[in-house]
Amino acid sequence: MTRDTLGRAAAVAREARAATDLHGVPLGTPIYAQDGILPVEHLVPGDRIITRDAGLVTLRALDACAAVVPRVQVSAGCFGRERPAGDLILPAAQRVLLSGATAQAMIGRSQGLVTLSCLVDGETVEALGTGPIRLFTLIFDRPHLIYADGLELASAAPAVEHA
C-alpha cells in the first residue's frame, strides 16, 4: 500500500465506524469551555473543554461529518431544567450520562451511560428514523464526558492510527 492508499483506507474505516458508532453534536450546540459556552463550530484544536470526569481537557481535533444514521430528538428540559435548553437532534447511538433517581429506575445504578435509542419514549425522546445529520465530533486523548447544551454526553474514542 502506498501512503495515499493508507490515508484513504483510514478515511473509509472512519466512515464505517461513523455509521454504527457516531458520537457528536449538531451545528450550534453550546459546548462548555474554559472561554465560556461556545457553539461547537467555534471550537478549535487547543481549546480547553470542561468535562465532568477530568475538569478542563485539551481538544485535540474537531471533526465535522455528514451521515445518514438513526436519529432521535431530545425535547427541551427532558433531563431537567434547561437540559437541553431547546429541542436537540442527535444520533441514536450517542451515549448520555444518567444519574440520580432516573438512572436508578432505568438501569438499577446511581449513574451510567445509556445510548439515546434506549431512552425513546415517544414523548421526551422521540425516534426520528434514519436520516441525514451533520455532526461535530470532539476528539480528545481519551474519551470524556462533555457538557453539550446542558447534557452530559460521551465523546468519541480517539481514532487508532496504524503505521
Side-chain angles (χ1 to χ4, degrees):
M1 280 190 178
T2 67
R3 185 174 180 82
D4 184 50
T5 305
L6 285 172
R8 280 190 302 227
V12 169
R14 279 194 304 272
E15 288 176 20
R17 184 188 78 175
T20 59
D21 189 30
L22 193 62
H23 290 77
V25 295
L27 182 76
T29 301
I31 302 294
Y32 295 38
Q34 183 176 21
D35 294 335
I37 300 173
L38 303 172
V40 66
E41 65 273 17
H42 290 198
L43 298 175
V44 295
D47 281 346
R48 305 270 290 158
I49 306 301
I50 300 171
T51 67
R52 178 183 171 103
D53 57 305
L56 288 171
V57 295
T58 302
L59 180 66
R60 296 298 174 204
L62 182 66
D63 288 343
C65 74
V68 177
V69 296
R71 302 161 301 148
V72 297
Q73 179 173 298
V74 179
S75 297
C78 173
F79 293 100
R81 187 168 181 250
E82 295 189 12
R83 295 185 60 217
D87 292 350
L88 190 59
I89 296 174
L90 294 165
Q94 176 64 55
R95 291 176 296 148
V96 61
L97 181 68
L98 295 182
S99 58
T102 303
Q104 194 65 46
M106 295 191 73
I107 61 176
R109 295 189 312 239
S110 62
Q111 70 177 14
L113 288 170
V114 178
T115 59
L116 287 170
S117 61
C118 293
L119 301 177
V120 170
D121 62 8
E123 294 179 26
T124 58
V125 180
E126 182 180 352
L128 299 178
T130 300
I133 190 168
R134 181 166 171 76
L135 294 174
F136 292 84
T137 301
L138 285 71
I139 307 294
F140 303 100
D141 289 335
R142 66 180 182 87
H144 289 286
L145 293 171
I146 63 168
Y147 293 100
D149 200 11
L151 300 181
E152 296 161 318
L153 302 179
S155 70
V160 177
E161 297 291 330
H162 297 286

